[in-house]
Amino acid sequence: MIYEIITLALLAVWLTGWFTPLNFFREVITEWWIKTTIKMGFPAMASFAVVLSCSKCMGFWLTLFWKQDFFLALSVSAVAFVITFGIEQIEKYR
């Protein structure tokens, strides 16, 4: 179980930041989503684009849809937060 949590959290962190070839597509999709929701008159829905760049959000929703387990999704989200925080601290003092 712990390996599954760590693996899914690392996948979320990897998808939202480490794997740079996805950055271009993530930015294009985010920009399109925001412009489309604002044009359609639903500016509140523009905030859903944060899922593509937030490791906690990506970990939660990815796990919830894939495994359909709410508590596992919460655990993955928390571990993704810790991993991202650790990476930020390492890069800050590097």
Side-chain angles (χ1 to χ4, degrees):
M1 177 82 152
I2 191 73
Y3 296 116
E4 185 177 29
I5 293 171
I6 293 171
T7 303
L8 289 168
L10 284 173
L11 177 64
V13 172
W14 182 73
L15 287 173
T16 57
W18 281 356
F19 192 58
T20 55
L22 287 180
N23 287 345
F24 172 76
F25 299 109
R26 186 174 44 249
E27 290 172 7
V28 168
I29 292 169
T30 302
E31 186 177 323
W32 172 81
W33 178 260
I34 292 171
K35 285 182 181 179
T36 304
T37 55
I38 290 174
K39 275 185 192 177
M40 293 175 63
F42 300 111
M45 290 187 64
S47 63
F48 286 121
V50 84
V51 173
L52 294 174
S53 60
C54 172
S55 62
K56 300 178 303 272
C57 301
M58 176 69 81
F60 179 80
W61 290 111
L62 178 73
T63 305
L64 191 61
F65 287 129
W66 191 0
K67 296 293 186 172
Q68 299 173 350
D69 184 353
F70 181 75
F71 296 107
L72 180 64
L74 287 177
S75 301
V76 169
S77 180
V79 172
F81 171 75
V82 170
I83 292 170
T84 303
F85 180 77
I87 291 170
E88 289 172 356
Q89 293 302 309
I90 291 170
E91 289 178 348
K92 182 178 176 181
Y93 294 111
R94 186 171 59 150

